[in-house]
Amino acid sequence: MTPEELHKVAETELESRQQIDHTLCVCTAAGCVSTHSDKVKEALEKEIEKHGLKEKCKVKGVGCMGLCMAGPLVSVERTGALYQMVKAEDAAAIVENLGKPPVQRLLCDTAQPFFSRQKKIVLENSGVVDAERIEEYIAAKGYEALLEALTSMNPAQVIEQVTKSGLRGRGGAGFPTGLKWGTVAKARGDRKFVICNADEGDPGAFMDRSVLESDPHRVLEGMAVGGYAVGASQGYIYVRAEYPLAVKRLKDAIKQAERLGLLGHSIFGTTFSFNIEVRLGAGAFVCGEETALIASVEGKRGQPRPRPPFPAERGLWNSPTLINNVETFANIPPIIRNGGEWFAGIGTEKGKGTKVFALAGRVNNTGLIEVPMGVTLREIIFDIGGGIPDGKKFKAVQTGGPSGGCIPEQFLDMPVDYESLAKAGSIMGSGGMIVMDETSCMVDVAKFFMEFCMTESCGKCVPCRVGTKQMYQLLCKISDGTATAADQVMLEELCDVVKNTSLCGLGMTAPNPVLSTLRYFRDEFMAHIHDRRCPAGVCKIGKEQVATV
Amino acid sequence: MNPSAQKTLSVKTLQIDGKDVSAREDQTILDVARENGIFIPTLCNLDGLTPIGACRICLVEVKGARRLLPACITQVQDNMEVFTNSETLVKYRKMILELLFAERNHVCSVCVANGHCELQSMAQKLGVDHIRYPYLYPKLSVDASHDRFAADHNRCILCQRCVRVCDEIEGAHTWDTMGRGTSAQVITDLNQPWGTSETCTSCGKCVQVCPTGTLFEKGRASGEMTKREFLPYLTLMREERE
Amino acid sequence: MSKARIATIWLDGCSGCHMSFLDIDERLIELADKIELVYSPLVDAKEYPENVDVVLCEGAVSNEDDLKKILKVRARTKILVSLGDCAVNSNVPSMRNPFGVEAVCHRAYIENAQLNQQIPNQVIPQLLKRARPIHECVKVDVFVPGCPPSADSIYYVVSELLAGRMPDTASKTRFGA
């Protein structure tokens, strides 16, 4: 493909849109599919055919529109009307009202803060383009960043833009992306690799899934730019097999890109070649840890190894490897298109750009959001999230999954970025955000996450393997009202040893949910231990003491 | 450059427990400590096998490092300041050992390795005289299907020495690990009885490297359970041949 | 100087630790000048007395009776010594723990019994769910691992305690020794 051909594809696509009067966009990402948006799409197509509007009206499947709790969502292109909780039976009404005022009873208020307070960079195409058609992505400036990088920048200039942007790894740890790219570029090796970590495993997190389902080409483009910058010609996307829709769309997207010559040999007629393969994870959380992921891609048992050496130096098949998360790669095309300085102008001093969060739990607007770094938790939960349902009181928000922590009310006005969340005893993590109200018991929450870490520990190092099990058993004792003060001392001691001696990030951060709940909700632990009482009424504490002997 | 010329290795100087020592750049902290008579306890590590840093017993403090580092796998650097025996390290090592004892059913008195067990002697060396954590008492099997050897999983600490020696030295890769967390277990072939393994060469190297009484020779009394140190010799001969 | 009030008790163990204690041989005579053996399987006292200075406890806590005993012993004793592996880590008695009481009793009294197959439920104390080391039930002051601990190490421990020092057992004995 030549640059001219790329632009031709975009033009043809835009022209063909001119022929259509009305386009109905139905969300076909996993959230809405689970509420049967596929049936809605079918019904709409039938209805259009029935009215003989096939030439003038089109129904297209698009990616996630964000407000998952109101799904299935259908939007009308151009008028911008958004219908919520659409059923197949509503198809007739929607089609009949095309070109007329929208159907009032189905209308979703798009002026509400959930929509107006977001800023979309990673999700700019989500809910807009058809994820299954590369032409739509190209029409939305897709692959222009790759074109620009390959034809008018050298690898050092690409890295310079990424460095300037201030982008930091979106997988959780927040390592500066430009620095990582520079390191891999400098590392010596006959061959190098690019890996996209799409092994999203945190409970309640679905950012990467949505990006892959809604806009897969963006990730491929980001990876290809990365490959050019560091000197790699082979990329792997490691996706969990529990994301069948994402896997399908990725595989299709790779095929389409190869067909158009946007992946493969001498892209845009340059000497740069880049191929991408999909690798499926078999459901081990630990494979989200980069060294375990690499072992898994190599076909070995997915367990981590000590770092250093870091993958940038010795990764896949002992070659220098660039490994970034889905959202990180998804940020790359706009950074290259608009320049690093543009990106650096968004967000805070130390946290540039936006962050995608999966909002879940006891909050009115559950769904997928993207906000600039530095907005407060209060804005996210109460403005965008619409507050707590049923007039209940906010208690805490859990960020960062099993590696993160629970942040209490007093930090609600804290701006969200890597440093502030860490200071509050949690982490940014990959973007899972679980809101809890007064009906949640923090001991129970800590127990839930510890059980997760215990069952997901790979078993290689002793403190993580056995320590998480011992901690889980102690938390069980606390929650069923049979623990003593000595048990609590032992729990805190175990937190210390597991945190400081475990081999990989999973073990090192496994105590975080316990440490942060102990830090802010110690009184709840005390109530369980000393008064044999669960203040939230969640834990079942028997009347008679369970015999521990 | 003469292709047959040996790759030159630079020499680093560092401090271990306040003692000035020198080392080749490809040496680990553990190598250098041992050369200088500084004791760092180890369990999963065995000379001649690739270190994996799994047991965490050999963790040391390195000035300026954010985390504790496993001595068995961390390479020396110039001006490194290493501390092998701080109060915190001693505390952590004891706790890790206690976690190991609590994990499976280690009954030293009736174990065939009694008196020749690295776990047992490590407990004595580190002053672990009782286990504070509740014992987990998992129900585990004994595989006695092999003619000459047996595997008692009650005694396994998952050091993966058997897995490594079988793969790296014997080249059979009969042993591997399955399962996650405390359900992890070493297995022969795809979790088939050892006696039916088609890849096992019955060389017995795994038995020789097992630090506990997990892998043992049948028909031997505990007094006869001494291990042969064949790995240093094997690796030396191989290196010379290369 | 008044003699130290010493006791020994025997929970779920094989009595090997008591045998090892007797193995200190002629040193017993020297000890006899310094101690008064106020309660022991080796003497006649039927009730565990108050104000015991040191008790050597052999065996794991395996049944209801053991548990009652050790609670009483702890309440009436200044220094409690876990003597031997059964007391320290429940050792051989714990080998039933992975299987559960029911399965173990069934194997012992039904499957492997030729005559009068029945699980006893009278007169003898009921087994606890698990055999446990003493320190999981009450506070223990000194741990002396070993199966059994050697006579020398027992003599060392007693001598140190009589001299008012806490013995360091790591150099003398170990699990399974």
Side-chain angles (χ1 to χ4, degrees):
Chain A
M1 167 161 285
T2 62
E4 294 71 38
E5 282 169 339
L6 184 74
H7 295 134
K8 183 81 192 141
V9 172
E11 273 166 35
T12 315
E13 174 67 19
L14 290 172
E15 266 167 32
S16 74
R17 273 189 214 168
Q18 299 302 318
Q19 316 298 318
I20 307 286
D21 289 343
H22 306 286
T23 305
L24 290 166
C25 302
V26 183
C27 171
T28 54
C32 284
V33 170
S34 70
T35 48
H36 308 297
S37 66
D38 46 342
K39 297 263 159 53
V40 174
K41 186 162 173 263
E42 258 172 52
L44 286 169
E45 279 161 356
K46 255 187 218 152
E47 204 60 39
I48 284 175
E49 198 166 346
K50 206 168 97 189
H51 286 76
L53 295 167
K54 256 185 107 177
E55 303 300 312
K56 289 283 154 198
C57 298
K58 213 177 102 187
V59 181
K60 79 173 180 188
V62 295
C64 182
M65 302 188 206
L67 194 58
C68 300
M69 50 78 66
L73 293 166
V74 177
S75 72
V76 186
E77 227 169 67
R78 282 185 223 165
T79 72
L82 181 66
Y83 295 121
Q84 61 180 354
M85 295 187 204
V86 180
K87 295 189 191 66
E89 302 90 271
D90 300 324
I94 292 174
V95 172
E96 275 159 25
N97 281 276
L98 285 174
K100 296 179 202 156
V103 189
Q104 282 300 322
R105 64 182 172 88
L106 294 172
L107 217 50
C108 178
D109 175 17
T110 49
Q112 61 175 303
F114 181 85
F115 297 102
S116 62
R117 299 290 278 276
Q118 292 196 50
K119 171 151 187 75
K120 298 198 170 184
I121 295 176
V122 170
L123 301 178
E124 62 182 346
N125 290 339
S126 287
V128 179
V129 302
D130 183 345
E132 293 177 3
R133 292 188 62 238
I134 191 171
E135 293 81 4
E136 293 229 4
Y137 179 66
I138 293 172
K141 296 188 182 164
Y143 290 103
E144 269 183 26
L146 182 61
L147 172 67
E148 193 176 335
L150 293 189
T151 55
S152 56
M153 296 165 93
N154 62 30
Q157 287 168 326
V158 173
I159 294 171
E160 193 193 325
Q161 288 306 317
V162 175
T163 307
K164 248 189 211 162
S165 75
L167 176 65
R168 294 170 63 176
R170 296 293 194 243
F175 191 80
T177 307
L179 184 58
K180 192 185 258 188
W181 286 31
T183 313
V184 181
K186 278 201 190 107
R188 273 179 292 176
D190 296 339
R191 40 177 200 170
K192 296 179 185 177
F193 295 99
V194 174
I195 296 180
C196 173
N197 183 349
D199 192 51
E200 182 174 53
D202 292 357
F206 49 92
M207 302 76 53
D208 296 348
R209 188 193 71 200
S210 290
V211 171
L212 293 176
E213 285 173 355
S214 309
D215 201 8
H217 285 287
R218 163 180 298 268
V219 181
L220 303 183
E221 187 180 0
M223 286 177 72
V225 172
Y228 175 69
V230 303
S233 57
Q234 176 69 47
Y236 293 93
I237 305 185
Y238 189 88
V239 200
R240 51 198 309 224
E242 294 92 327
Y243 285 175
L245 190 58
V247 171
K248 184 188 166 291
R249 290 199 178 147
L250 258 181
K251 285 186 171 167
D252 290 349
I254 292 172
K255 261 187 227 150
Q256 292 167 2
E258 282 171 351
R259 201 187 63 221
L260 294 188
L262 294 166
L263 287 176
H265 277 294
S266 32
I267 300 167
F268 292 124
T270 65
T271 55
F272 177 66
S273 302
F274 195 72
N275 288 296
I276 296 179
E277 274 179 50
V278 174
R279 284 283 192 276
L280 297 191
F285 176 70
V286 74
C287 286
E289 198 280 338
E290 56 184 17
T291 59
L293 187 152
I294 286 171
S296 182
V297 172
E298 288 174 354
K300 296 184 186 140
R301 178 178 160 85
Q303 54 183 23
R305 60 154 177 83
R307 300 178 305 182
F310 288 89
E313 205 184 327
R314 245 188 292 160
L316 192 61
W317 291 300
N318 281 326
S319 304
T321 302
L322 172 67
I323 177 161
N324 275 139
N325 147 284
V326 169
E327 194 183 330
T328 315
F329 280 124
N331 269 305
I332 296 298
I335 288 176
I336 299 299
R337 280 202 312 264
N338 306 324
E341 269 158 27
W342 160 80
F343 191 84
I346 305 161
T348 64
E349 184 57 37
K350 285 191 165 166
K352 303 296 185 195
T354 58
K355 179 77 195 86
V356 180
F357 289 104
L359 210 49
R362 300 290 293 163
V363 61
N364 275 313
N365 299 336
T366 54
L368 194 72
I369 60 163
E370 183 173 0
V371 289
M373 293 274 187
V375 301
T376 64
L377 284 168
R378 190 182 298 282
E379 285 175 86
I380 294 179
I381 295 162
F382 289 91
D383 298 344
I384 298 173
I388 314 296
D390 309 326
K392 291 280 198 285
K393 203 172 157 305
F394 171 86
K395 188 185 227 172
V397 55
Q398 212 280 349
T399 68
S403 312
C406 294
I407 301 170
E409 202 179 354
Q410 69 251 40
F411 292 102
L412 273 179
D413 292 309
M414 177 184 80
V416 172
D417 65 22
Y418 294 94
E419 275 72 24
S420 59
L421 285 172
K423 216 181 281 171
S426 185
I427 57 165
M428 171 76 83
S430 57
M433 210 175 244
I434 303 172
V435 182
M436 288 171 272
D437 66 11
E438 56 198 311
T439 61
S440 296
C441 164
M442 300 317 280
V443 173
D444 189 58
V445 169
K447 191 176 95 177
F448 169 82
F449 282 108
M450 192 52 71
E451 184 180 13
F452 184 89
C453 291
M454 172 184 79
T455 48
E456 293 298 341
S457 165
C458 78
K460 182 172 176 178
C461 79
V462 183
C464 175
R465 179 177 81 227
V466 199
T468 53
K469 176 114 179 176
Q470 292 282 359
M471 284 195 278
Y472 173 68
Q473 291 198 344
L474 288 168
L475 287 164
C476 285
K477 273 177 90 176
I478 295 175
S479 97
D480 66 23
T482 56
T484 62
D487 287 328
Q488 193 194 327
V489 174
M490 188 181 278
L491 178 66
E492 292 187 53
E493 190 189 279
L494 280 165
C495 284
D496 178 51
V497 70
V498 174
K499 180 178 174 174
N500 289 309
T501 65
S502 290
L503 194 158
C504 81
L506 194 157
M508 283 187 269
T509 57
N512 282 358
V514 179
L515 289 171
S516 74
T517 45
L518 267 172
R519 180 163 156 195
Y520 300 120
F521 302 96
R522 190 169 280 266
D523 52 325
E524 286 194 36
F525 282 77
M526 292 302 161
H528 284 77
I529 294 168
H530 298 292
D531 313 335
R532 313 252 173 245
R533 174 175 76 78
C534 174
V538 174
C539 301
K540 288 188 179 58
I541 295 180
K543 282 278 168 286
E544 90 259 46
Q545 274 257 337
V546 184
T548 52
V549 192
Chain B
M1 195 180 123
N2 180 0
S4 67
Q6 273 201 326
K7 197 185 159 215
T8 50
L9 290 169
S10 65
V11 172
K12 313 269 179 190
T13 57
L14 60 152
Q15 251 190 11
I16 304 183
D17 292 340
K19 186 177 174 183
D20 288 314
V21 296
S22 61
R24 279 196 330 268
E25 64 174 337
D26 64 343
Q27 285 188 300
T28 63
I29 295 174
L30 181 65
D31 294 334
V32 185
R34 283 188 176 161
E35 274 177 13
N36 289 278
I38 298 163
F39 170 73
I40 298 175
T42 54
L43 269 181
C44 67
N45 183 71
L46 189 66
D47 266 353
L49 300 180
T50 309
I52 54 171
C55 72
R56 316 308 282 170
I57 291 278
C58 73
L59 287 180
V60 293
E61 285 172 17
V62 174
K63 199 173 172 187
R66 279 189 307 152
R67 294 198 303 265
L68 304 174
L69 297 169
C72 66
I73 209 167
T74 307
Q75 296 206 327
V76 293
Q77 274 168 21
D78 252 332
N79 303 321
M80 225 179 194
E81 276 182 67
V82 182
F83 304 93
T84 69
N85 215 16
S86 72
E87 209 174 296
T88 321
L89 288 174
V90 170
K91 183 182 82 179
Y92 285 158
R93 285 176 189 151
K94 282 174 96 162
M95 288 169 80
I96 290 167
L97 214 53
E98 287 181 70
L99 286 172
L100 269 178
F101 271 101
E103 184 185 15
R104 295 199 177 183
N105 307 307
H106 297 279
V107 186
C108 299
S109 60
V110 295
C111 176
V112 68
N114 191 3
H116 304 290
C117 170
E118 292 179 38
L119 182 68
Q120 182 188 33
S121 57
M122 187 64 73
Q124 188 180 24
K125 217 176 272 176
L126 301 188
V128 173
D129 59 5
H130 71 293
I131 311 303
R132 291 167 306 145
Y133 305 118
Y135 289 89
L136 301 177
Y137 298 123
K139 207 170 163 181
L140 295 162
S141 61
V142 178
D143 182 351
S145 60
H146 194 281
D147 288 344
R148 288 169 50 207
F149 313 123
D152 183 348
H153 295 287
N154 290 291
R155 303 163 180 165
C156 178
I157 58 169
L158 293 171
C159 68
Q160 302 190 29
R161 283 189 193 175
C162 54
V163 177
R164 284 177 283 159
V165 79
C166 191
D167 175 37
E168 297 170 11
I169 306 294
E170 179 62 6
H173 205 133
T174 301
W175 288 103
D176 211 323
T177 318
M178 74 165 187
R180 285 206 285 265
T182 48
S183 320
Q185 191 178 312
V186 288
I187 50 168
T188 41
D189 285 354
L190 293 170
N191 196 25
Q192 302 302 302
W194 194 357
T196 66
S197 166
E198 289 180 3
T199 58
C200 175
T201 62
S202 299
C203 72
K205 289 191 181 71
C206 52
V207 176
Q208 292 298 326
V209 299
C210 180
T212 69
T214 310
L215 306 182
F216 56 94
E217 271 185 76
K218 286 179 174 176
R220 286 213 169 192
S222 62
E224 303 171 299
M225 282 298 288
T226 48
K227 304 274 166 90
R228 287 183 297 142
E229 274 203 26
F230 65 98
L231 271 175
Y233 173 75
L234 267 187
T235 38
L236 182 75
M237 295 314 279
R238 286 187 182 192
E239 272 168 19
E240 277 182 7
R241 220 172 49 187
E242 282 166 10
Chain C
M1 192 186 108
S2 66
K3 289 180 175 182
R5 290 164 60 79
I6 306 285
T8 75
I9 60 159
W10 178 14
L11 306 175
D12 191 4
C14 68
S15 91
C17 297
H18 273 87
M19 296 297 123
S20 199
F21 179 47
L22 293 179
D23 271 350
I24 66 177
D25 299 336
E26 72 281 3
R27 287 171 289 187
L28 275 173
I29 298 163
E30 172 208 325
L31 272 187
D33 290 338
K34 300 181 196 159
I35 67 166
E36 186 189 350
L37 195 57
V38 292
Y39 181 88
S40 169
L42 308 168
V43 299
D44 259 349
K46 295 284 177 282
E47 174 67 19
Y48 193 87
E50 300 277 355
N51 297 322
V52 177
D53 292 314
V54 176
V55 61
L56 306 177
C57 303
E58 173 188 341
V61 180
S62 285
N63 60 39
E64 290 169 351
D65 200 39
D66 294 338
L67 187 59
K68 266 185 224 149
K69 261 191 214 160
I70 199 69
L71 290 171
K72 186 191 272 180
V73 164
R74 177 70 271 186
R76 295 179 177 184
T77 316
K78 286 198 198 85
I79 296 176
L80 191 154
V81 180
S82 260
L83 182 69
D85 275 354
C86 296
V88 172
N89 60 32
S90 66
N91 201 21
V92 173
S94 76
M95 291 175 80
R96 71 171 167 90
N97 290 354
F99 306 94
V101 173
E102 209 173 302
V104 168
C105 285
H106 195 267
R107 174 65 71 90
Y109 295 108
I110 311 284
E111 281 171 52
N112 289 343
Q114 259 115 42
L115 288 172
N116 202 10
Q117 296 169 327
Q118 58 173 325
I119 293 172
N121 55 14
Q122 286 164 17
V123 188
I124 63 164
Q126 290 298 297
L127 288 177
L128 299 174
K129 215 170 92 197
R130 283 175 166 179
R132 307 175 74 197
I134 291 174
H135 68 266
E136 284 190 12
C137 305
V138 297
K139 183 177 168 288
V140 170
D141 304 297
V142 180
F143 295 88
V144 189
C147 187
S150 67
D152 285 349
S153 51
I154 298 177
Y155 177 74
Y156 162 77
V157 167
V158 174
S159 307
E160 289 292 289
L161 288 174
L162 287 177
R165 292 187 292 261
M166 272 309 192
D168 168 26
T169 56
S171 55
K172 307 282 173 195
T173 183
R174 57 152 202 247
F175 298 136

